[in-house]
Amino acid sequence: MTEVDLEQENAKIAKAYKELLKVSYRTLTTDDKKLIRAAFDVAVDAHKNQRRKSGEAYIFHPIAVAKIVAKEIGLDAISIAAALLHDVVEDNDDYNLSDIERLFGETVAKIVDGLTKISRLDKGTDVSMQAENFRKMLLTLNDDVRVIIIKIADRLHNMQTMESMRSDKQVKIASETLYIYAPLAHKIGLYNIKIELEDLGLKYTEPEVYYDILNRMQESKEEQDAYIQDFSRVIVDSLNKEGLNYEIKGRPKSIYSIRQKMLKQGVSFDEVYDKFAVRIIYKSDASNEKFLAWKIYSIVTDHFTPNPVRLRDWISSPKSTGYEALHITVVGPKSRWVEVQVRSERMNEIAEKGYAAHFKYKQGTTGKQEQEEDVLDNWIDKLQVALENNETNAVDFVEQFKLNLYSKEIFVFSPKGDLTSLPKGATPLDFAFSVHTEVGLKTRGAKVNGKLVPLSYVLQSGDRVEILTSENAKPNANWLDYATTARARSKIKSSLNADKKDIAEDGKEILRRKLKSLKIILNEKSVNEMVTYFKLSTSQDLFYRVGNGSIDNTMLKSFVASRSSAFVSYLKSKISRKPEVPKDIDRDEITSKYDMLVFGKDEQKLDYKIANCCNPIPGDEVFGFLTINEGIKVHKKTCPNALSLQSNYAYRIMQAKWIDSSQQEYTSQITLSGIDNLGLVNEITKLISQNMHVNMKSLSFDSDDGVFNGKITVVVKNINMLKKLIDNLKKINGIHKVTRV
C-alpha cells in the first residue's frame, strides 16, 4: 500500500474507534474509556500485519465486534475491551494470556481465554466445528456467559462479511449459525441479533429463496405502511383521550420466519397472512406499567375483535429470558389478522438488549458490581440446566440443548401454588426433575388438576401438578419417550446407563467365553466387526445386548459364519462404482442421456441411496452424506436434517449435483386438499393421464362432509415436470392446497 493509502486507512481506523465510544449503550466513565483505549492500542499493534480476505485491515473486525457488543447488546467496558482483544492471543505470538491479565486484569483475561479456546475449536478442522466442539464451547458458560455473548457478536460480524469466502465455506458457517448461534441468541434474549443471524443464515443456505422473499417484502412495503396507518387511525383518538405517551410502529416479520411459515403451513408467500406485527410502545413509571398495558389492551379490543385463543400475557409471567409484553391477535382493517404487541419502553429495551437493559433498570438498588454479577448468575443458572450432564453422546447433547433453546414456554403450578416455567410439550416427568433430581428419579405417578394422569401427559399452561413418589421407583427406558427437557433426559440416561454398565460388564465376560468356544479371540478387531455386523453404535451396546440375552448363541454363530464374507462386502462398499444399469445399454448413452448424480469437484459417479426423510429427485439441490453402514445417502439441501448433518458431521458431507436430467424416472408423492365436488377425481386423473411425461402409480381420496384429502404417487423424470404438474393441479376448481411430500 502507498503512504497515502495507509494514511487514509489509519484515519478510518481512528474514526471507527471514536464511533465505538459514541455508540456505547452504557455511560462510559473516564476509567472505562482508558481501559477501552488501552485494549484498542494492543489490538492495533497485534493485528498490524493482518488483513481479512476482503483485503481490509484486520483491526476493523475486532472494532466491529466491539461495536455490536457496545451498541446492539449493550455490555460493559470490560466486555468491550475483551471484544477488541478477542483474537489477539490466538493470532499473535507477541501477546499471551499472562500479558492480557497483567495489562487488563483477571476478568478481561478470563473472557479472552474463553474466546481463544472457542477460536481454536473453530480452527481445529477445516470443515466444521463439529458436535464435540459445540459441546466444549457451550461448557464455557460455566466460566462467564459474556464469553458466549461476545462470540455471538463475533459470529454476527463474520456473517455480515462473508461475501469473499468460498461458497462451500459460506454454507458451512451459515449452517452452524442457524443450528446453534441463532438459538443461543434467542435464549439469551438478543432477539434483534437472532433475527439477523437467521436471515443471513438463510441468505447463504438458500440464496434463491432469500432474495425472492426479500424482493417480495420490498414490493409490499408501501402497502404495509398504509395498512399500519389505517390501523393507527382507528385507535389513536382513544389512546390520546387517556393521555397516554406512546408510539405505534410496524414490525415486518423476518425473512427467515416467513420462510419457516411457508414450509410449516405449505403455503406460498402471498398466503402467509401475518407478515408484520403492530407494536405499541408506551412511556410509564414502574408503578403504573402493568395497569397501562391492560388499559391499551382494552382500547385495542374495544375497536378490533380479538382472537381469545391468541392472547399471550408475558407481563404477569415473563419468559425465562426476561421478555415482557402483551401479544394480542385481532381482526384489523380489511378483515385481516394482525398481531399487536404492547410494551413499555423498559420492556422494549429488555426485548432488544436483554442483559444490558435488565442491568440498567435494576441499577440503583444495589452496587454496580454486585448487581451485574446478580444478572449474570441468573442467566448462567437458566442455561446451566442443559449443561448439567455432559457425559452423553456429543450429537445428542447438542441436539437436546438446541431444542431447549428454541422451545416455547408454559407455566404450571406446584400443589403449594409456586409457578414453574417449562418448555411447551413438557410432561409431569419434566416437572418432577425441575423440582429436584431425587423427586424425578423416585416418581411413580402424577396428578394434574387433582386427577391421575400418565407420565406421558402433555402439560398445559395453568395446570396444577402433583408428583407421587416411592422409594422403590426407578427410571425405565420408556421414560425417555415421555421426558422432553435436557435436565430430565440427562438424569434418566445417567440412571439407565449405570444399570446398563453393570449388565455390559457381565456381558463382556460372557462374550469372551462364548467366542473362545467358537475359536475367536475377543479383541478390538473382533469387537468392531461385531458392532458393524449387528448394526450397533458402540462396544458397550454389544456387551449390554449379550448380557441381557438379546444377542444369543445362534446370532453369534451366524456372525462367525458370515465373518469373512461380511468383511469382503465391507471393503467393496468403500470402492466407488457406477450405479447398476441394464447391460444392453451402451455406457456412452448412459453418460449422455441418463440422469446422473455426481459427487465432489471431480464429478465422480458413486453408488448412493436416496434418503427417506426428504426423498430428493433430479433437479433438487442436494448433498451426499457418508453414513457408517449404508454408504452415501443423498439429502435435499432443504431436508429437515440438513442443518444438523452439516453442523455435526461436516467432514462426512459430499458436494453433489444432478447432471443430464432426461431419461431416468423417480417416484414422488403429492397431497391434495379442497372442497369435494362431483367429477373432481375424474378431472385430476384426466389431467395426469394427459401429461405424457408423468405416470401415476397410485391414487387415494378421503371425503368428509364436503372436504376431501387425497394422495397421489407419481413417477416423473425431474423436478420441473413435478412443479408443472403441481401448478396445473392447483388450477382445478375446488382444489385448495397441493404439496409435495
Side-chain angles (χ1 to χ4, degrees):
M1 286 181 81
T2 65
E3 205 169 307
V4 176
D5 290 340
L6 276 173
E7 274 181 32
Q8 287 177 346
E9 190 171 78
N10 288 336
K12 277 186 187 175
I13 293 168
K15 187 182 175 188
Y17 169 71
K18 284 173 187 169
E19 281 174 6
L20 168 64
L21 297 178
K22 278 183 196 170
V23 300
S24 177
Y25 178 76
R26 303 283 185 98
T27 303
L28 298 173
T29 64
T30 306
D31 287 344
D32 288 341
K33 287 177 182 175
K34 280 180 185 173
L35 176 70
I36 294 167
R37 178 71 207 202
F40 171 74
D41 289 340
V42 168
V44 168
D45 181 54
H47 298 301
K48 60 180 179 286
N49 298 320
Q50 281 180 274
R51 296 202 164 265
R52 301 189 84 201
K53 285 206 169 146
S54 59
E56 75 171 8
Y58 192 88
I59 186 61
F60 285 110
H61 169 65
I63 294 173
V65 174
K67 270 188 192 173
I68 294 166
V69 164
K71 183 184 179 185
E72 305 299 326
I73 305 175
L75 294 188
D76 56 352
I78 283 175
S79 306
I80 296 168
L84 286 167
L85 299 164
H86 79 271
D87 279 335
V88 165
V89 175
E90 173 61 23
D91 293 343
N92 201 285
D93 295 333
D94 295 339
Y95 294 94
N96 58 36
L97 207 61
S98 302
D99 296 326
I100 301 297
E101 187 170 348
R102 178 173 49 80
L103 293 166
F104 303 102
E106 188 184 347
T107 307
V108 172
K110 197 175 177 186
I111 296 169
V112 171
D113 184 34
L115 290 160
T116 304
K117 283 173 182 169
I118 295 173
S119 181
R120 283 176 184 153
L121 293 175
D122 272 335
K123 293 170 185 175
T125 168
D126 183 43
V127 271
S128 172
M129 202 154 75
Q130 310 306 321
E132 187 54 54
N133 290 345
F134 277 135
R135 168 154 70 181
K136 287 173 184 170
M137 181 191 80
L138 294 170
L139 291 172
T140 63
L141 285 166
N142 290 323
D143 303 325
D144 193 325
V145 77
R146 285 174 291 193
V147 174
I148 291 288
I149 298 173
I150 296 167
K151 182 61 192 173
I152 289 169
D154 178 43
R155 177 52 63 111
L156 175 60
H157 186 248
N158 283 334
M159 289 293 291
Q160 290 167 339
T161 55
M162 280 210 302
E163 288 86 354
S164 51
M165 281 188 181
R166 292 196 323 261
S167 61
D168 61 315
K169 192 125 186 173
Q170 288 172 342
V171 170
K172 186 170 53 202
I173 292 169
S175 296
E176 286 179 357
T177 300
L178 289 173
Y179 183 68
I180 203 76
Y181 288 102
L184 266 172
H186 172 88
K187 191 67 176 180
I188 290 169
L190 304 171
Y191 294 113
N192 288 352
I193 285 177
K194 165 224 167 187
I195 286 167
E196 192 173 351
L197 287 174
E198 285 177 337
D199 282 359
L200 288 167
L202 185 66
K203 178 181 175 181
Y204 289 106
T205 53
E206 295 183 72
E208 287 179 13
V209 172
Y210 171 84
Y211 285 110
D212 180 50
I213 296 173
L214 178 65
N215 292 335
R216 286 166 177 267
M217 285 177 73
Q218 286 170 345
E219 285 167 12
S220 60
K221 189 178 184 306
E222 249 179 69
E223 182 198 333
Q224 285 183 15
D225 291 345
Y227 189 87
I228 290 157
Q229 283 179 359
D230 290 345
F231 182 92
S232 304
R233 209 174 289 124
V234 177
I235 58 170
V236 73
D237 288 342
S238 299
L239 291 169
N240 289 342
K241 269 182 197 171
E242 296 295 335
L244 293 162
N245 190 346
Y246 65 93
E247 62 175 327
I248 301 175
K249 293 179 177 179
R251 181 191 68 87
K253 288 270 167 76
S254 71
I255 297 172
Y256 182 82
S257 67
I258 289 173
R259 170 62 170 162
Q260 293 306 103
K261 277 184 184 291
M262 287 165 66
L263 289 173
K264 193 175 177 182
Q265 297 169 7
V267 295
S268 66
F269 176 85
D270 295 326
E271 292 170 300
V272 176
Y273 66 81
D274 54 346
K275 298 186 190 79
F276 64 94
V278 173
R279 191 173 284 165
I280 302 173
I281 300 165
Y282 62 94
K283 285 189 176 178
S284 171
D285 55 30
S287 58
N288 287 313
E289 208 174 31
K290 281 188 183 182
F291 171 72
L292 291 179
W294 287 106
K295 181 177 266 194
I296 292 168
Y297 166 82
S298 176
I299 290 167
V300 171
T301 53
D302 280 346
H303 291 281
F304 300 109
T305 307
N307 181 340
V309 181
R310 297 288 300 163
L311 171 64
R312 300 287 180 267
D313 174 13
W314 284 306
I315 290 181
S316 304
S317 304
K319 288 187 179 184
S320 59
T321 57
Y323 179 83
E324 294 175 70
L326 279 180
H327 286 201
I328 326 151
T329 301
V330 299
V331 182
K334 300 176 187 174
S335 299
R336 284 163 63 177
W337 287 115
V338 185
E339 184 183 79
V340 183
Q341 300 172 353
V342 181
R343 298 177 183 170
S344 69
E345 282 187 335
R346 178 191 68 83
M347 295 173 195
N348 192 54
E349 282 197 87
I350 286 171
E352 292 182 354
K353 297 280 192 301
Y355 159 79
H358 272 295
F359 169 76
K360 175 182 170 184
Y361 287 100
K362 286 183 181 178
Q363 199 175 3
T365 53
T366 56
K368 177 175 177 178
Q369 185 65 33
E370 188 184 334
Q371 187 61 50
E372 190 164 319
E373 284 172 3
D374 242 14
V375 180
L376 283 170
D377 288 346
N378 188 35
W379 262 6
I380 292 169
D381 288 346
K382 292 256 170 46
L383 289 166
Q384 201 65 36
V385 169
L387 296 165
E388 280 185 350
N389 188 308
N390 58 62
E391 293 169 8
T392 56
N393 170 279
V395 177
D396 289 346
F397 171 86
V398 176
E399 279 290 350
Q400 198 59 46
F401 186 85
K402 180 177 171 287
L403 283 173
N404 281 274
L405 288 176
Y406 257 149
S407 59
K408 293 182 178 178
E409 288 176 297
I410 61 165
F411 296 91
V412 298
F413 293 93
S414 71
K416 291 181 180 177
D418 296 325
L419 196 64
T420 300
S421 163
L422 290 170
K424 192 176 180 181
T427 65
L429 267 180
D430 296 311
F431 175 79
F433 280 98
S434 76
V435 173
H436 196 279
T437 300
E438 283 305 308
V439 173
L441 293 173
K442 299 296 179 189
T443 298
R444 72 177 175 90
K447 284 183 178 181
V448 173
N449 303 325
K451 292 181 181 177
L452 274 172
V453 296
L455 294 179
S456 58
Y457 177 86
V458 177
L459 298 172
Q460 305 295 320
S461 268
D463 282 345
R464 187 181 284 252
V465 189
E466 182 185 349
I467 300 300
L468 310 173
T469 60
S470 164
E471 281 304 310
N472 300 322
K474 67 175 189 175
N476 61 58
N478 292 334
W479 282 21
L480 289 172
D481 296 329
Y482 311 147
T484 63
T485 60
R487 181 190 180 100
R489 290 180 66 82
S490 67
K491 297 297 180 188
I492 294 164
K493 281 180 182 176
S494 291
S495 176
L496 293 174
N497 283 342
D499 292 343
K500 187 177 177 180
K501 199 173 178 184
D502 293 339
I503 295 168
E505 281 177 14
D506 294 338
K508 187 175 182 180
E509 288 310 308
I510 294 167
L511 184 61
R512 192 189 303 280
R513 291 198 304 273
K514 286 184 176 182
L515 287 180
K516 191 176 179 182
S517 68
L518 294 166
K519 302 201 168 34
I520 292 176
I521 298 168
L522 183 72
N523 55 25
E524 190 178 349
K525 185 186 174 188
S526 60
V527 167
N528 287 341
E529 285 177 22
M530 282 184 281
V531 167
T532 304
Y533 177 79
F534 292 113
K535 294 184 178 176
L536 303 172
S537 300
T538 64
S539 57
Q540 192 186 33
D541 290 338
L542 173 70
F543 301 146
Y544 174 70
R545 281 166 173 75
V546 173
N548 69 14
S550 56
I551 293 179
D552 56 20
N553 287 343
T554 309
M555 294 166 78
L556 287 172
K557 283 175 184 175
S558 297
F559 159 70
V560 173
S562 63
R563 195 180 183 203
S564 56
S565 59
F567 186 65
V568 170
S569 299
Y570 173 77
L571 288 175
K572 281 183 179 176
S573 73
K574 298 295 178 187
I575 299 170
S576 304
R577 62 181 187 272
K578 296 176 182 178
E580 289 183 18
V581 292
K583 290 179 183 176
D584 58 339
I585 297 176
D586 185 71
R587 294 260 166 200
D588 293 336
E589 187 182 340
I590 297 165
T591 308
S592 62
K593 291 185 178 178
Y594 272 61
D595 265 323
M596 284 288 171
L597 191 57
V598 292
F599 297 88
K601 290 177 185 174
D602 300 330
E603 298 194 353
Q604 290 178 293
K605 298 175 183 70
L606 307 175
D607 205 7
Y608 64 87
K609 290 180 182 177
I610 295 293
N612 293 329
C613 50
C614 54
N615 193 29
I617 64 173
D620 283 336
E621 295 265 323
V622 291
F623 64 90
F625 179 70
L626 191 60
T627 64
I628 294 171
N629 296 318
E630 297 183 86
I632 299 168
K633 281 211 167 181
V634 176
H635 295 259
K636 281 161 64 175
K637 284 191 175 176
T638 56
C639 172
N641 299 318
L643 287 182
S644 175
L645 295 175
Q646 287 165 338
S647 295
N648 287 323
Y649 302 104
Y651 62 96
R652 293 197 206 162
I653 299 293
M654 300 176 73
Q655 290 179 25
K657 68 175 180 179
W658 299 98
I659 59 168
D660 185 33
S661 190
S662 62
Q663 293 298 316
Q664 283 187 324
E665 296 182 326
Y666 294 83
T667 302
S668 192
Q669 194 176 68
I670 296 169
T671 61
L672 310 92
S673 63
I675 299 164
D676 197 9
N677 61 50
L678 204 62
L680 186 64
V681 175
N682 185 43
E683 273 192 75
I684 292 168
T685 52
K686 190 177 174 185
L687 187 147
I688 296 171
S689 61
Q690 282 175 347
N691 190 328
M692 59 182 284
H693 299 297
V694 178
N695 290 323
M696 184 165 57
K697 281 181 76 176
S698 67
L699 177 144
S700 66
F701 283 101
D702 291 320
S703 183
D704 184 17
D705 295 335
V707 176
F708 88 91
N709 290 289
K711 280 186 184 177
I712 308 171
T713 303
V714 293
V715 179
V716 294
K717 291 181 179 178
N718 57 46
I719 188 76
N720 293 331
M721 291 176 187
L722 188 64
K723 281 180 179 172
K724 191 175 179 183
L725 175 63
I726 289 171
D727 289 341
N728 288 335
L729 286 169
K730 283 179 178 176
K731 291 173 187 174
I732 294 174
N733 186 31
I735 290 186
H736 172 63
K737 190 186 286 186
V738 185
T739 51
R740 171 185 163 197
V741 178

